[in-house]
Amino acid sequence: MKKNRIAILVSGRGSNLQALLDAIAAGQLEAEVVGVFSDKPKAPALARVPEPLRWSGDARRFPDRASFDAALADAVEAVRPDWVICAGYMRILGETFTARFRGRLLNIHPSLLPKYRGLHTHARALEAGDREHGASVHWVVPELDAGAVIAQAVIPVLPGDQPDDLAVRLLPREHALLAAVTAWVVQGRLTEQGDEAWLDGQPLLKPLSLDSAGQLTHPTAT
């Protein structure tokens, strides 16, 4: 059986990238990583894959965002990916890039979207007095963190929590969430139809949930 080809976009240490690599190695994700792409040439994430799979471009050396996005898109397209996953990629992708890969472009974001698009999500959740926090995997559209949400993982906000506490406690749930969603995506169970997330040929009325065992639960399940 032909394995799905995955391109992964990163900016930092690459822990979500590693979660996908681990899921592949464990036989939980029937896919292969065919390229890892970064806007930061010194991103530690790049060291997690062999050199032939790495591509990086210093975005600061490009005249504008559009020209960097075009170079990135060409490099990604060259590896013929079935799916493109933003796994800790911190630059906003322009409309031309998102249109080129629309319907096969995913992102993981550390908040319970639609809450707290953008940065500093842990601090913003605490400032708002939220009792729950979490992560979301969503389809990528030109508007920042605004695509249809596929699935979420939830953690409680505990008394005395600081932003770093939330970040540390959420991270393993992020990893499990991204691996679980990607596994269903490559199986063809999850698709983007218009502006909606669909599961098994039906629109999701609300996002899937990640249970304590790391499995995705349908919102209509009891």
Side-chain angles (χ1 to χ4, degrees):
M1 180 182 296
K2 175 183 175 292
K3 290 185 178 180
N4 276 244
R5 300 168 62 85
I6 299 177
I8 301 178
L9 276 55
V10 297
S11 292
R13 60 192 175 186
S15 67
N16 275 305
L17 163 62
Q18 189 63 53
L20 294 176
L21 294 172
D22 290 346
I24 291 171
Q28 299 165 350
L29 174 57
E30 293 295 328
E32 61 178 327
V33 174
V34 295
V36 175
F37 303 82
S38 182
D39 58 321
K40 296 181 179 179
K42 295 184 179 180
L46 293 168
R48 296 180 185 268
V49 295
E51 193 279 334
L53 297 184
R54 305 173 194 167
W55 182 94
S56 62
D58 189 342
R60 297 170 298 180
R61 296 183 179 274
F62 285 75
D64 50 41
R65 188 177 76 181
S67 58
F68 176 79
D69 274 6
L72 175 63
D74 287 345
V76 171
E77 192 67 65
V79 302
R80 297 178 288 109
D82 298 300
W83 305 98
V84 182
I85 298 177
C86 301
Y89 186 69
M90 301 305 292
R91 280 181 64 84
I92 296 173
L93 293 168
E95 186 170 356
T96 300
F97 186 100
T98 56
R100 190 164 175 177
F101 299 101
R102 184 73 186 263
R104 51 191 176 122
L105 182 58
L106 300 166
N107 180 53
I108 185 160
H109 180 73
S111 81
L112 296 175
L113 292 170
K115 288 186 173 182
Y116 317 128
R117 299 173 183 172
L119 301 175
H120 311 299
T121 60
H122 309 310
R124 291 159 68 190
L126 291 173
E127 289 167 2
D130 290 352
R131 295 184 179 182
E132 291 184 328
H133 187 46
S136 306
V137 175
H138 64 94
W139 298 107
V140 177
V141 299
E143 186 180 350
L144 178 64
D145 298 328
V149 177
I150 300 166
Q152 296 180 319
V154 179
I155 62 170
V157 177
L158 303 178
D161 267 342
Q162 299 298 312
D164 286 349
D165 300 320
L166 283 182
V168 168
R169 203 160 66 249
L170 180 59
L171 194 59
R173 299 290 285 164
E174 283 187 46
H175 296 164
L177 178 68
L178 183 59
V181 170
T182 305
W184 281 20
V185 163
V186 302
Q187 292 170 20
R189 298 191 65 188
L190 290 164
T191 57
E192 183 186 27
Q193 303 290 335
D195 293 325
E196 296 179 325
W198 282 43
L199 171 66
D200 296 335
Q202 299 293 328
L204 279 172
L205 301 181
K206 63 180 182 177
L208 299 167
S209 297
L210 189 76
D211 68 16
S212 58
Q215 302 297 315
L216 293 175
T217 303
H218 194 284
T220 60
T222 56

